[in-house]
Amino acid sequence: MFDGFRLEQVSLPEATLRVRIGGKGKPLLLLHGHPRTHATWHRVAPILAERYTVVCPDLRGFGQSSKPADTPDHAGSSKRAKARDCIALMRHFGFDRFGLVGHDRGSYTAFRTAMDHPAAVDRLAILDGIPIADALARCDARFAAAWWHWFFFALPEKPERAILADPTAWYGGSSEEMGEEAYADFNAAIHDPATVHGMIEDYRAGLGIDRRHDEDDRQARRKLACALLVLWSGRDDLEDLHGDILGIWRGWAPDVTGRSIDCGHHMAEEAPEELAAELGAFFQAS
């Protein structure tokens, strides 16, 4: 897994992140989603590393990265805080400007990084996501039924107790689908109470402080300063629930392209070659 990459624990001003880095060329930062770790990229990163320097961290709160202190507003788990980690991490490796990819929950951190630090993000790719404020503003009975976990995870203590009663049954996954080493890494994460709590705190921040940050940007009419690629899983429910995905993102960015990929939600594991080709072509254009 990750042939030619090195594995590091990188101490940053606000967090310590477990990171894989490899390849040579323009820098690309890849952010995973819930409940994965950086290992979700193990089939995509080596392909991209043929042309790019690829950096894959565990987000703070996830995997083997440090866990933020709990506060009433969940600010330590906010996407703004995680965006600061992204900037500090890439500067640690000598990159002041870089391409950025985020999947699922990682897409919210990627979006916030590009919004808060426009000079640092050259191009942005969002996978399986729309902004949190848009998702919540569009919430109806269909969304609430399909994505009920957003609201359950906002409750204190109960989500962690439910998940940790049987993490394997809750999250599923298999070594056949994910690859043996990636599954072992994922399985260790979902059985760690501190990591489960860190992952759930990401959702608690999402319904409060993260939503406010999005709404503040919308009110101020701030938009992305970089080109945006949006890809979504054709066999998942993002398009079914929200309709015109590219239209939603055009409210946030002047330069938007994208399409669906014929796969399930974890596209980096299910369609790695197609995803790597799309990302490689998009970032090569910069």
Side-chain angles (χ1 to χ4, degrees):
M1 188 170 70
F2 288 99
D3 285 347
F5 282 64
R6 65 183 188 270
L7 181 63
E8 300 184 14
Q9 289 281 344
V10 179
S11 295
L12 304 173
E14 299 181 47
T16 298
L17 304 185
R18 182 177 65 152
V19 183
R20 299 262 187 181
I21 180 170
K24 188 178 296 183
K26 294 189 296 186
L28 283 184
L29 176 62
L30 310 184
L31 306 180
H32 64 84
H34 175 96
R36 297 306 203 244
T37 70
H38 79 276
T40 195
W41 300 109
H42 76 101
R43 291 171 177 152
V44 172
I47 301 173
L48 293 173
E50 294 173 7
R51 287 190 285 170
Y52 302 95
T53 300
V54 181
V55 181
C56 305
D58 290 350
L59 293 165
R60 74 158 75 177
F62 288 73
Q64 294 180 32
S65 289
S66 62
K67 312 305 186 277
D70 289 344
T71 58
D73 64 355
H74 312 289
S77 292
S78 71
K79 311 312 169 288
R80 176 158 285 165
K82 294 175 184 182
R84 293 194 297 268
D85 291 345
C86 291
I87 298 300
L89 176 65
M90 295 305 276
R91 286 178 179 167
H92 168 83
F93 289 123
F95 304 123
D96 291 323
R97 190 166 172 82
F98 52 90
L100 179 55
V101 182
H103 176 253
D104 183 72
R105 303 301 294 186
S107 75
Y108 306 133
T109 293
F111 172 59
R112 181 48 48 200
T113 304
M115 290 294 288
D116 286 1
H117 308 276
V121 178
D122 178 50
R123 292 190 146 216
L124 173 65
I126 295 290
L127 315 181
D128 278 328
I130 63 172
I132 288 174
D134 284 276
L136 293 173
R138 301 166 63 88
C139 180
D140 57 14
R142 292 176 66 246
F143 179 85
W147 288 26
W148 57 270
H149 60 284
W150 273 32
F151 310 103
F152 176 61
F153 286 173
L155 299 175
E157 299 182 5
K158 292 184 186 298
E160 289 92 334
R161 291 177 63 186
I163 292 167
L164 289 166
D166 191 342
T168 302
W170 185 277
Y171 283 123
S174 70
S175 58
E176 291 76 20
E177 296 168 346
M178 300 171 64
E180 187 173 342
E181 291 178 83
Y183 178 70
D185 195 71
F186 157 78
N187 202 45
I190 64 173
H191 282 82
D192 175 34
T195 298
V196 170
H197 178 65
M199 293 193 296
I200 298 305
E201 281 289 295
D202 184 88
Y203 283 86
R204 294 180 178 128
L207 293 190
I209 191 169
D210 293 332
R211 182 185 190 181
R212 290 195 297 275
H213 291 157
D214 283 4
E215 290 174 342
D216 288 346
D217 283 337
R218 194 198 303 279
Q219 186 172 2
R221 299 185 179 181
R222 285 188 287 269
K223 295 192 176 186
L224 292 168
C226 61
L228 172 64
L229 172 68
V230 183
L231 302 172
W232 60 94
S233 304
R235 286 184 244 150
D236 202 12
D237 59 3
L238 192 75
E239 188 172 15
D240 183 52
L241 289 172
H242 297 296
D244 185 2
I245 303 302
L246 296 182
I248 292 169
W249 278 107
R250 288 189 183 106
W252 289 97
D255 182 1
V256 184
T257 58
R259 66 177 182 90
S260 67
I261 290 180
D262 185 21
C263 65
H265 180 64
H266 296 290
M267 62 172 67
E269 298 163 11
E270 298 179 41
E273 293 86 2
E274 186 173 0
L275 177 58
E278 287 284 342
L279 295 176
F282 175 69
F283 287 104
Q284 190 66 30
S286 62

